């Protein structure tokens, strides 16, 4: 009966999904217990008694997510998604054709079709609630017996509670289905549609704001046909009492309705604009969060904060316009009953219809009945408009182009000897034959071959891998692969979660294999150092790991998957020379010896081991063949090798000057590995972890009651609360009510946002707070503050003023106290369970290439379903708890009502005017409605205001260290991955403040000057190059682009290669011209030739400046004046390069020996 299909139809889907969810290590603590709602008996369901056990638990203790029972099977994503997708596809033009035309068929999704599909998915609830919501007030006209009154009342009470409950259930289902479909679509988007219009911000708004809107609309669903029906019935009753004068009432009603058409249309336009502005702001916010470290290093926070405040201002302007129009609508509607009454009675006077007291009272009672549907109309209209805008946005998102599934022919494992074959391939990121990224590609890799790809920056190396994965739009030609693929991207993509889960990536645990993989990726030592080993929780984007550790975890993930074809996009650039050699030997030559491996690399020394070398230039294959074959045959390869040799010659010259030879040092290599490897880890972790264990803590939620001060703070944000007494006065004056609260709300819009978006929080806050959580604050919670809380406060004040006397006693019934304990925590859980959905969504979108290349879409879909269900659970039981309370209060007020009726009827005649008695009864009829409304509004308000509170986490500590960097000289910093090199730089920029000791620049303690002043005077080229929405810069690369310096940069700079982005950062620094320059692995992602050029440029441009270089390429450090070698956060050696090289026992000379050995012997 639920969800359309019989139980049998749903069974297999659920089981499948259940297994999947259990496999993906997403389940928090086993699966939740079964839903009490599913097995509830008839009476229990009728009176909501099945909520009893949960309320009892919530009354005793603070509820956690584990205390909340599971969902009814029909409410879970596993049951909803297939039904909804089938409905949507049958409406959008049938999707049972081949996959090629599937994307064409998808194009046809519109808001209307989306609505139809949703209604079909939850049709049962729509039908039931439509029949339940018979309006029973009219049955009570005239001198009917008390019994009829009471029976009608009881029936109304039961049907109304279930009406509300089922509507909320329908809303939860609609939202779950939409989020699941949007998530599925997000994973399948082509790179072009992702670039063109869907930033992370927009997608996050779709799942956090738009899907919520549609879910909320279930409340208003039936108002669309109920209001006209109620108005019709009221006019009919008027006709029976006042005759022809009721026509005047009809005319007045029509006038009122028409008066609202233009503002309604304006409202829709404003709402659309408002959402567009919200997208832009969310995109900016998510990009700022992603690049927070860079912004802090460059001292750009204020610039970007002002940018966001400007965006918020534009958004607020639309919000104001929207609110002012809705104020107009409300003004017209709330004046309507009085207007209609005046017109009707005026018509009676003119027509000479006598106005006896009975008739007047009866007519007044009818106007009173008319009043409610008319009051609700503005809300319904604005809700319809908001929902239409949201549905349009979701529909247009679902119409975006997907990655064609037929770009690559994927043959099953073992069916061919050729692993990868590209014939006449032309590819373009722009998907246009005019702007080809890769031209005339022809190559084949046989099973078990090692293929190396090299070339200068921006020559199309990463695009070549994308063409094998089918990620880049194919213009012509064909690509075949045989077997499964694994891909390691250039910028590491790590999910937040345990290290072990990142490596297993959804596969079963096999201890033997797992140990082997850790060994090959030299992760053993790192895991020993980390406080919880492989159970350590990684922050978002692997924030608490060093660059090299992230890359090695990525490689481990790929190895563990046991694929047939491995694609590596320059993974060795992020690790030091020693680890790089180890990875190459153990992984590529060892563990993957029998597999087909394609690796992009800038390190020439890894090329001789390849069976085939592809040299890329300007998107073409310039040369292809074995190392010795192509060495003499063309200049492209000679250039790269030549640059590498120059670097080595410089090294040899130093070495010869020191009278040593390379070989003597090679015996000590093993000692070197031991002494250097002890510390591959960020030092800021140490003391931090000693204190509180994991970096990312569970999101904190306040417990217990919402304190009075939270409401007070909210109320007094605008004009220090001066508006509060006015608003209350306006509520009492009642007509002015909505207008004032809307004005107040419009002013309020700007203020909390400024307070909230504090970019000046310490970096540790951004490291340990997942951006999903901050984005949740910026989207969902902010839109609560924008649009819900003020009107909620309005309704509370309004209802309370109407009710003050009668219910003061009744609503403090013990029940409400009992209920609010549970409801409050459930509502908070809803808030806490929302951030992980957004977080998971954002992560999946960023890593969609990796997810697709491993073929893990289903695993991620089931994780998303799991998180969605965890969010729906508290939501569903919250609805149940609310109805549990209202049902009991309804019963109570019905009894009171019956009692007072009996009392009125048994009064001696003549004591009370029958007309007045009738009026008292009509007012009494609305009593329980009103009372339930007050309780409901109070609880909702308390629940909504919760989203404004947020408890920040405590920052962490860093150890001290003593070093001096001589002014005007160049200092090189070396050491194994994770020995604390980048951390030292962070301390210099005060990303982390020293707890003990101090940092002096020119004798000034940097902790005593402003952060902005400090960072403004230092320059840095960071390890992860970023280009936040600026236009690009840098000679040759830019001249190639049509728009030159106005070339667009999409979110995260993804349309530029990593090497190009590093060049842009370099250009930025040269323009800034600071006295102190820091290079953090600045040339890791560029080829040796470009590196040599960069070093030359820096020598010329910064001859006077103090330069600090961190590098894995030993050659980059050799022409420094000083070398500092770090090990485990301690300065082990510090001297000039030649002095350190003279001493054969020094760690530095061993590092150099190892580097040259690797380079000459491969």
């Amino acid at each position: 009966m639920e969800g359309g299909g019989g139980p049998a139809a749903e069974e297999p889907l659920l089981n499948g999904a259940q297994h999947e969810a259990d496999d993906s290590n997403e389940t928090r603590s086993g699966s939740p217990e079964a839903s009490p709602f599913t097995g509830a008996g008839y009476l229990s369901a009728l009176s909501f008694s099945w909520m009893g056990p949960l309320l009892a638990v919530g009354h005793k203790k603070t509820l956690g997510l584990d205390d909340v029972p599971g969902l009814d099977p029909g409410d879970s994503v596993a049951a909803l998604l297939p039904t909804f997708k089938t409905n949507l596809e049958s409406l959008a033009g049938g999707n049972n054709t081949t996959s090629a035309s599937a994307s064409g068929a998808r194009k046809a999704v519109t808001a209307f079709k989306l609505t139809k599909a949703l209604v079909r998915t939850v049709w049962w609830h729509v039908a039931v609630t439509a029949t339940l919501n018979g309006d029973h007030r009219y049955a009570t006209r005239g001198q009917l017996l008390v019994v009829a009154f009471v029976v009608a009342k009881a029936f109304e009470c039961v049907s109304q509670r279930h009406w509300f409950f089922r509507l909320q259930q329908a809303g939860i289902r609609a939202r779950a289905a939409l989020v699941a479909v949007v998530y599925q679509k997000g994973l399948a988007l082509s790179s072009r549609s992702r670039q063109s219009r869907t930033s992370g911000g927009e997608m996050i708004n779709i799942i956090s704001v738009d899907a919520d809107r549609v879910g909320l609309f279930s409340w208003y669903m039936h108002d669309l046909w109920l209001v006209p029906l109620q108005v019709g019935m009221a006019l009919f009753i008027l006709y029976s009492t006042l005759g022809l004068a009721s026509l005047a009432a009809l005319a007045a009603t029509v006038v009122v309705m028409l008066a609202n058409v233009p503002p309604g249309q304006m409202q829709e336009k404003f709402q659309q604009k408002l959402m567009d502005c919200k997208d832009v702001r969310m995109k900016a916010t998510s990009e700022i969060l992603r690049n927070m470290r860079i912004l802090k290093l460059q001292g750009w926070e204020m610039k970007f904060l002002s940018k966001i405040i400007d965006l918020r201002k534009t958004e607020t302007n639309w919000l104001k316009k929207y609110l002012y129009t809705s104020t107009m609508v409300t003004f017209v509607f709330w004046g309507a009953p009085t207007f209609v009454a005046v017109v009707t009675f005026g018509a009676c006077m003119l027509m000479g219809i006598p106005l006896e007291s009975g008739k007047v009272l009866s007519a007044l009672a009818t106007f009173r009945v008319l009043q409610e549907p008319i009051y609700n109309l503005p809300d319904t209209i604005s809700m319809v408009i908001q929902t239409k805008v949201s549905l349009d946005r979701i529909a247009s998102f679902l119409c975006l182009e997907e990655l064609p599934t037929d770009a690559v022919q994927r043959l099953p494992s073992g069916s061919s000897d050729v692993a990868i074959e590209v014939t006449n391939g032309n590819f373009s990121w722009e998907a246009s034959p005019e702007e080809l990224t890769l031209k005339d590609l022809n190559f084949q890799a046989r099973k078990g071959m090692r293929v190396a790809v090299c070339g200068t920056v921006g020559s199309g190396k990463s695009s070549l891998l994308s063409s094998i994965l089918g990620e880049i739009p194919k213009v012509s030609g064909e690509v075949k692969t045989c077997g499964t693929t694994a891909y390691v991207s250039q910028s590491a993509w790590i999910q937040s979660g345990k290290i072990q889960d990142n490596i297993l990536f959804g596969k079963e645990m096999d201890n033997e294999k797992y140990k082997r993989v850790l060994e090959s990726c030299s992760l053993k030592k790192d895991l020993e150092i980390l406080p919880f080993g492989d159970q350590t929780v990684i922050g978002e984007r692997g924030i608490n790991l060093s660059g090299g550790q992230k890359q090695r975890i990525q490689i481990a993930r790929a190895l563990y998957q046991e694929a047939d074809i491995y694609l590596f996009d320059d993974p060795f650039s992020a690790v030091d020379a020693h680890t790089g050699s180890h990875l190459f030997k153990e992984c590529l030559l060892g563990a993957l010896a029998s597999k087909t491996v394609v690796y992009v690399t800038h390190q020439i020394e890894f090329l001789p081991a390849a069976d085939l070398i592809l040299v890329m230039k300007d998107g073409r294959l310039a040369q292809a063949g074995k190392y010795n074959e192509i060495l003499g045959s063309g200049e492209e390869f000679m250039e790269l090798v030549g640059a590498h040799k120059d670097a080595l010659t410089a090294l040899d010259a130093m070495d010869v000057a020191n009278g040593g030879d390379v070989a003597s040092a090679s015996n000590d290599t093993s000692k070197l590995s031991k002494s250097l490897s002890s510390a591959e880890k960020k030092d800021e972790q140490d003391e931090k972890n000693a204190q509180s264990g994991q970096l990312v803590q569970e999101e904190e939620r306040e417990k217990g009651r919402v304190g009075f001060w939270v409401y007070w703070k909210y109320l007094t944000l605008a004009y220090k609360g001066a508006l509060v007494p006015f608003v209350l006065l306006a509520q009492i004056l009642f007509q002015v009510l909505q207008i004032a609260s809307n004005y107040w709300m419009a002013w309020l819009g700007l203020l909390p946002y400024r307070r909230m978006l504090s970019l000046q929080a310490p970096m540790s806050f951004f490291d340990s707070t997942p951006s999903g959580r901050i984005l949740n604050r910026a989207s969902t919670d902010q839109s609560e503050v924008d649009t819900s809380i003020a009107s909620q406060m309005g309704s509370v004040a309004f209802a309370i003023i109407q009710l003050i006397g009668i219910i003061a006693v009744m609503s403090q019934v013990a029940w409400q106290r009992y209920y609010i304990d549970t409801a409050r925590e459930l509502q908070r859980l809803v808030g806490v369970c929302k951030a992980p959905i957004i977080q998971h969504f954002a992560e999946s979108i960023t890593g969609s290439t990796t997810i697709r290349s491993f073929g893990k879409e289903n695993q991620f879909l089931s994780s998303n379903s799991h998180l969605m269900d965890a969010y729906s659970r508290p939501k569903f039981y919250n609805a149940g708890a609310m109805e549990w309370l209202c049902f009991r209060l309804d019963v109570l007020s019905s009894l009171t009502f019956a009692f007072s009726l009996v009392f009125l009827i048994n009064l001696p005649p003549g004591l009370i005017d029958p007309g007045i008695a009738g009026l008292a009864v009509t007012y009494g009829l609305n009593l329980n409605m009103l009372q339930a409304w007050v309780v409901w509004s109070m609880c909702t308000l308390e629940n909504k205001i919760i989203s404004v509170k947020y408890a920040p986490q405590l920052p962490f500590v860093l150890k001290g260290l003593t070093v001096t960097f001589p002014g005007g000289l160049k200092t090189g910093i070396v050491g194994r991955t994770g020995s604390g090199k980048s951390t030292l730089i962070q301390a210099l920029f005060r990303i982390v403040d020293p707890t003990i000791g101090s940092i002096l620049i020119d004798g000034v303690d940097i902790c005593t000057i402003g952060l902005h002043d400090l960072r403004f005077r230092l320059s840095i080229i960071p390890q992860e190059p970023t280009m936040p929405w600026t236009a690009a810069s840098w000679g040759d690369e830019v001249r190639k682009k049509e728009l030159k310096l106005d070339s667009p940069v999409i979110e995260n700079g993804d349309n530029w290669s990593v090497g190009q982005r590093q060049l842009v950062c370099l250009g930025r620094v040269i323009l800034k011209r600071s006295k102190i320059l820091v290079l953090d692995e600045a040339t890791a992602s560029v080829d040796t030739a470009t590196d040599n050029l960069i070093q030359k440029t820096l020598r010329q441009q910064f001859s006077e400046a103090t330069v600090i270089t961190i590098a894995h390429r030993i050659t980059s450090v050799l022409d420094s004046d000083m070398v500092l070698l770090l090990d485990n956060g301690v300065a082990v050696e510090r001297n000039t390069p030649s002095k350190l090289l003279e001493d054969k026992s020094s760690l530095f000379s061993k590092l150099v020996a190892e580097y040259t050995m690797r380079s000459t012997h491969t």
Side-chain angles (χ1 to χ4, degrees):
M1 200 153 136
E2 296 281 342
E10 282 169 3
E11 220 43 49
L13 289 170
L14 286 171
N15 292 347
Q18 201 47 52
H19 295 319
E20 261 185 23
D22 291 345
D23 290 348
S24 70
N25 304 307
E26 287 285 337
T27 31
R28 297 258 174 110
S29 53
S31 54
E33 53 181 284
S35 168
F37 175 65
T38 315
Y42 186 70
L43 266 178
S44 166
L46 204 65
S47 62
F48 294 96
S49 306
W50 51 271
M51 276 301 300
L54 182 63
L55 288 162
V57 175
H59 187 57
K60 284 199 204 75
K61 64 171 211 166
T62 303
L63 281 183
L65 188 59
D66 298 337
D67 301 315
V68 183
L71 285 172
D72 181 58
D75 289 328
S76 68
V77 177
L80 290 167
L81 184 60
T83 327
F84 179 57
K85 281 204 71 163
T86 319
N87 288 332
L88 189 59
E89 282 162 4
S90 63
L91 284 169
N95 211 5
N96 46 7
T97 44
T98 59
S99 59
S101 62
S103 55
R106 276 286 164 81
K107 288 277 182 330
V109 183
T110 59
F112 179 62
K113 287 179 182 166
L114 203 59
T115 316
K116 261 171 78 174
L118 278 173
V119 170
R120 281 189 193 178
T121 310
V122 295
W123 66 267
W124 193 81
H125 287 73
V126 177
V128 169
T129 48
T131 50
L132 278 180
N133 189 41
D135 204 300
H136 304 287
R137 289 174 232 165
Y138 307 110
T140 57
R141 294 271 162 260
Q143 302 304 311
L144 283 182
L145 298 170
V146 178
V147 183
F149 258 132
V150 176
V151 169
K153 204 74 198 120
F155 187 63
E156 181 194 20
C157 154
V158 171
S159 65
Q160 204 172 22
R161 298 284 50 95
H162 281 270
W163 180 54
F164 277 149
F165 178 66
R166 292 292 180 179
L167 281 183
Q168 287 184 84
Q169 199 179 8
I172 289 172
R173 288 186 172 194
R175 182 182 189 284
L178 282 174
V179 171
V181 166
V182 168
Y183 180 79
Q184 211 168 15
K185 179 77 182 184
L187 279 185
L189 284 184
S190 70
S191 59
R192 204 168 50 148
S193 43
R194 193 173 296 136
Q195 281 184 22
S196 64
R197 59 161 288 243
T198 47
S199 59
E202 181 173 352
M203 295 192 213
I204 285 168
N205 267 342
I206 284 180
I207 60 164
S208 66
V209 180
D210 292 323
D212 270 8
R213 276 260 154 80
V214 179
L216 268 180
F217 181 68
S218 61
W219 282 101
Y220 298 88
M221 192 161 51
H222 295 303
D223 289 5
L224 296 173
W225 59 271
L226 268 179
V227 173
L229 182 74
Q230 288 172 317
V231 171
M233 288 174 86
L235 288 172
F236 175 72
I237 291 169
L238 269 185
Y239 179 72
S240 63
T241 44
L242 297 180
L244 281 176
S246 62
L247 290 178
L250 176 67
T253 316
V254 171
V255 168
V256 170
M257 298 289 176
L258 288 176
N260 269 308
V261 175
Q265 289 167 337
M266 281 158 68
Q267 249 180 316
E268 180 175 3
K269 189 182 95 190
F270 295 150
Q271 173 68 16
Q272 181 69 56
K273 293 276 197 226
L274 179 65
M275 288 309 292
D276 292 347
C277 291
K278 205 184 225 76
D279 286 343
V280 176
R281 170 173 65 84
M282 287 299 291
K283 174 184 174 183
T285 312
S286 85
E287 214 174 327
I288 283 178
L289 292 174
R290 194 181 294 126
N291 300 316
M292 183 55 70
R293 181 164 262 115
I294 314 288
L295 296 192
K296 289 198 168 295
L297 290 170
Q298 305 280 13
W300 289 340
E301 302 102 312
M302 297 325 287
K303 268 197 199 113
F304 280 84
L305 180 59
S306 65
K307 203 166 193 166
I308 282 209
I309 286 177
D310 289 345
L311 291 174
R312 175 69 183 157
K313 270 198 187 124
T314 330
E315 188 184 343
T316 321
N317 287 338
W318 289 114
L319 182 64
K320 278 184 186 160
K321 286 183 180 156
Y322 177 78
L323 292 168
Y324 293 160
T325 0
S326 84
T327 307
M328 277 159 54
V329 175
T330 312
F331 179 76
V332 175
F333 273 125
W334 285 45
T338 323
F339 174 64
V340 175
V342 169
V343 171
T344 313
F345 291 143
C348 286
M349 307 277 286
L350 291 173
M351 292 178 180
I353 298 171
L355 290 175
E356 304 137 20
S357 76
K359 276 188 180 174
V360 170
L361 282 173
S362 171
L364 278 175
T366 310
F367 289 135
R368 169 127 188 115
V369 169
L370 249 183
Q371 194 174 334
E372 197 200 352
I374 283 186
Y375 281 169
N376 288 337
L377 211 58
D379 272 357
T380 309
I381 288 176
S382 97
M383 202 57 205
V384 168
I385 286 167
Q386 290 185 11
T387 309
K388 182 180 177 305
V389 168
S390 286
L391 281 168
D392 282 337
R393 285 161 53 86
I394 295 172
S396 70
F397 179 77
L398 292 178
C399 290
L400 287 176
E401 173 190 58
E402 293 185 13
L403 261 185
T405 41
D406 53 353
V408 177
Q409 279 175 278
R410 296 185 170 87
L411 306 171
S413 291
S415 58
S416 156
D417 276 349
V418 179
I420 303 167
E421 183 169 20
V422 181
T423 355
N424 305 327
N426 286 309
F427 303 89
S428 160
W429 285 114
E430 307 299 324
S432 74
E434 285 77 54
E435 297 178 47
L436 290 176
T437 315
L438 297 172
K439 314 174 204 41
D440 311 324
L441 273 195
N442 282 293
F443 74 92
Q444 85 174 181
R446 305 187 78 72
K447 221 174 140 201
M449 264 174 93
R450 278 191 296 278
V451 181
V453 183
C454 60
T456 53
V457 173
S459 58
K461 301 182 297 296
S462 300
S463 301
L464 177 74
L465 294 188
S466 300
S467 71
I468 299 172
L469 288 170
E471 290 288 323
I472 176 173
K474 184 173 71 174
V475 179
S476 62
E478 62 174 33
V479 183
K480 283 186 192 151
T481 60
C482 172
T484 51
T485 48
Y487 167 69
V488 176
S489 56
Q490 190 168 9
S491 336
W493 176 73
I494 302 280
Q495 283 179 281
S496 44
K498 294 182 186 145
I499 293 181
Q500 184 183 344
D501 296 347
N502 265 294
I503 296 175
L504 297 181
F505 207 46
K507 271 225 174 347
E508 290 291 311
M509 176 58 144
D510 168 347
N511 279 321
E512 279 302 298
K513 180 161 89 170
Y514 185 68
K515 281 193 182 115
R516 273 203 317 275
V517 167
L518 292 184
E519 199 61 58
S520 313
C521 299
S522 61
L523 278 166
K524 278 257 165 74
K525 293 212 171 71
D526 300 88
L527 296 181
E528 282 162 19
I529 298 169
L530 289 169
F532 298 96
D534 60 3
Q535 299 300 309
T536 304
V537 173
I538 307 176
E540 189 180 10
R541 296 196 314 284
I543 206 100
N544 43 341
L545 298 173
S546 72
Q549 285 167 324
K550 282 193 272 195
Q551 272 303 8
R552 296 211 307 281
I553 287 174
Q554 274 214 115
I555 296 172
R557 172 172 66 199
L559 287 183
Y560 195 82
Q561 294 300 314
E562 295 266 322
D564 301 313
I565 300 172
Y566 281 82
L567 304 174
F568 289 111
D569 195 350
D570 199 14
F572 310 114
S573 60
V575 295
D576 57 272
H578 169 70
T579 316
S581 312
H582 176 89
L583 282 176
F584 190 75
K585 282 198 194 83
E586 292 296 319
C587 300
L588 267 72
L589 306 180
L592 301 177
S594 60
K595 310 282 189 185
T596 313
V597 182
V598 180
Y599 59 100
V600 170
T601 184
H602 287 303
Q603 273 99 324
I604 304 293
E605 58 271 22
F606 292 143
L607 296 178
D611 302 318
L612 170 66
I613 299 174
L614 304 176
V615 184
M616 298 295 295
K617 182 157 195 194
D618 299 334
R620 291 176 191 279
L621 264 183
Q623 289 169 282
K626 275 188 153 30
Y627 187 81
N628 295 330
E629 292 169 12
I630 59 174
L631 198 53
S633 65
E635 56 195 60
E636 287 83 4
F637 192 56
M638 287 302 294
E639 248 174 58
L640 295 171
V641 178
H644 182 62
K645 292 244 166 74
D646 294 347
L648 284 177
T649 332
L651 215 161
D652 291 343
M654 293 187 75
D655 213 48
V656 172
N658 296 325
D661 68 331
V662 176
S664 71
S666 65
N667 314 335
D668 302 324
T669 315
S670 52
K671 290 185 211 159
L672 158 86
S673 323
K674 287 198 188 84
S675 58
L676 273 179
S677 63
S678 59
E680 191 165 6
K681 204 185 120 299
K682 289 207 172 177
D683 357 30
E684 64 217 63
Q685 282 303 88
D686 288 4
E687 297 193 20
K688 151 107 182 59
N689 282 333
Q691 286 178 358
S692 70
Q694 304 284 25
L695 172 76
V696 179
Q697 302 293 331
E698 284 289 310
E699 174 160 9
E700 297 194 20
R701 52 192 179 102
E702 303 283 340
K703 296 189 171 58
R705 297 208 51 155
V706 175
F708 168 73
W709 64 271
V710 181
Y711 294 110
W712 186 243
K713 207 166 180 178
Y714 176 83
L715 286 165
T716 54
L717 258 180
Y719 300 124
K720 298 272 183 291
L723 289 185
V724 177
F726 290 115
V727 173
L728 282 174
L729 203 69
Q731 305 284 34
I732 297 160
L733 295 172
F734 168 76
Q735 187 64 58
V736 200
L737 149 86
Q738 277 291 52
I739 303 167
S741 69
N742 275 3
Y743 261 84
W744 170 51
M745 188 175 133
W747 280 111
L748 215 47
L750 252 181
L751 301 172
Y753 194 74
R754 281 196 186 163
R755 303 251 170 113
M756 184 187 89
L757 209 117
S758 167
L759 295 190
Q760 282 124 310
M763 190 65 214
S764 56
F765 168 77
F766 292 100
D767 282 351
S768 59
T769 307
S771 62
R773 208 177 285 173
I774 301 178
L775 292 174
N776 190 18
R777 295 279 164 276
S779 65
T780 319
D781 290 357
Q782 186 60 40
S783 72
E784 288 293 5
V785 176
D786 281 355
T787 49
S788 305
I789 295 185
S791 51
Q792 217 88 48
M793 287 196 163
S795 9
V796 173
F798 172 42
I800 287 178
I801 287 156
Q802 282 204 2
L803 250 180
I804 224 135
I806 331 167
I807 295 155
V809 195
M810 281 167 57
S811 68
Q812 281 312 314
V813 177
W815 282 329
Q816 188 190 344
R817 280 290 157 74
Y818 185 64
Y819 151 84
I820 199 81
D821 292 336
T822 305
R824 194 189 300 118
E825 295 314 318
L826 282 173
Q827 183 65 35
R828 287 193 173 129
L829 283 172
V830 171
V832 172
C833 291
K834 188 164 191 177
I837 299 176
I838 295 179
Q839 168 78 10
H840 180 250
F841 191 85
E843 264 180 4
S844 310
I845 298 302
T846 323
S848 56
T849 307
T850 307
I851 295 169
R852 284 196 293 258
S853 65
F854 283 98
K856 294 285 182 186
E857 293 94 332
N858 288 343
Q859 180 191 320
F860 276 76
L861 280 170
S862 79
S863 303
N864 179 59
S865 309
H866 192 83
L867 290 168
M868 271 305 304
D869 289 347
Y871 172 79
S872 299
R873 266 160 52 204
K875 230 176 158 57
F876 175 80
Y877 289 101
N878 205 1
M882 182 83 82
E883 299 312 326
W884 177 90
L885 174 70
C886 293
F887 179 79
R888 278 149 185 72
L889 291 178
D890 272 4
V891 169
L892 191 74
S893 61
S894 300
L895 287 174
T896 320
F897 178 62
F899 174 75
S900 49
L901 261 186
V902 173
F903 176 71
L904 273 177
I905 284 179
N906 291 333
L907 279 178
L911 192 67
I912 224 172
D913 181 281
I916 297 289
L919 192 63
V921 171
T922 4
Y923 272 80
L925 270 175
N926 281 339
L927 183 70
N928 65 333
M929 287 284 298
L930 205 56
Q931 173 200 354
W933 186 34
V934 167
V935 173
W936 189 86
S937 300
M938 279 170 72
C939 299
T940 312
L941 175 62
E942 173 149 15
N943 291 341
K944 283 270 161 78
I945 201 110
I946 285 168
S947 62
V948 187
K949 297 172 71 171
Y950 187 61
Q953 223 175 307
L954 296 171
F956 47 69
V957 208
L958 177 79
K959 324 177 200 174
L961 165 89
T962 311
V963 238
T964 320
F965 295 102
L969 294 184
K970 297 180 178 36
T971 305
I973 305 180
V974 289
R976 286 252 347 231
T977 328
S979 53
K981 304 184 295 286
S982 295
T983 310
L984 175 61
I985 303 307
Q986 292 186 29
L988 192 59
F989 280 82
R990 279 188 58 197
I991 296 289
V992 276
D993 272 342
T995 359
I996 312 164
S998 56
I999 301 174
L1000 307 176
I1001 297 181
D1002 292 346
V1004 179
D1005 182 347
I1006 61 171
C1007 293
T1008 57
I1009 58 173
L1011 279 178
H1012 194 262
D1013 295 338
L1014 167 72
R1015 291 173 188 165
F1016 193 70
R1017 289 183 171 80
L1018 306 174
S1019 282
I1020 182 164
I1021 301 183
Q1023 196 168 2
E1024 294 170 355
T1026 42
M1027 297 162 62
W1029 344 293
T1030 42
S1033 58
W1034 212 238
D1036 301 338
E1037 292 303 330
V1038 177
R1039 287 187 196 102
K1040 282 183 209 161
K1041 303 268 180 184
E1042 282 176 33
L1043 296 168
K1044 308 277 188 287
L1045 279 175
D1046 290 329
S1047 302
V1049 174
I1050 62 160
E1051 187 169 10
N1052 216 17
D1054 287 338
N1055 54 345
W1056 294 76
S1057 80
V1058 180
Q1060 288 169 327
R1061 280 181 258 164
Q1062 273 186 327
L1063 293 176
V1064 170
C1065 295
L1066 182 74
R1068 204 189 275 158
V1069 165
I1070 291 178
L1071 290 173
K1072 192 173 165 186
R1073 280 291 161 96
S1074 309
K1075 283 276 178 243
I1076 297 178
L1077 170 65
V1078 177
L1079 307 174
D1080 187 356
E1081 303 283 2
T1083 55
S1085 299
V1086 296
D1087 54 281
T1088 323
T1090 315
D1091 186 13
N1092 293 350
L1093 179 78
I1094 291 177
Q1095 299 298 343
K1096 200 167 117 194
T1097 313
L1098 291 175
R1099 278 197 291 277
Q1100 293 166 356
Q1101 300 285 344
F1102 290 92
S1103 50
E1104 303 294 303
T1106 307
V1107 181
I1108 300 172
T1109 312
I1110 290 182
H1112 285 318
R1113 279 198 189 142
I1114 302 291
T1115 47
S1116 309
V1117 186
L1118 281 177
D1119 64 346
S1120 313
D1121 304 306
M1122 294 294 283
V1123 170
L1124 167 71
L1125 193 138
L1126 287 182
D1127 188 20
N1128 203 0
V1130 182
V1132 190
E1133 298 177 354
R1134 197 178 153 274
N1135 216 318
T1136 61
S1138 48
K1139 279 263 169 31
L1140 287 174
L1141 282 174
E1142 275 168 27
D1143 176 5
K1144 285 287 168 275
S1145 64
S1146 76
L1147 291 176
F1148 182 69
S1149 63
K1150 288 174 190 165
L1151 255 182
V1152 172
E1154 179 163 331
Y1155 184 77
T1156 44
M1157 199 177 76
R1158 175 179 99 172
S1159 307
T1160 45
H1161 292 239
T1162 34

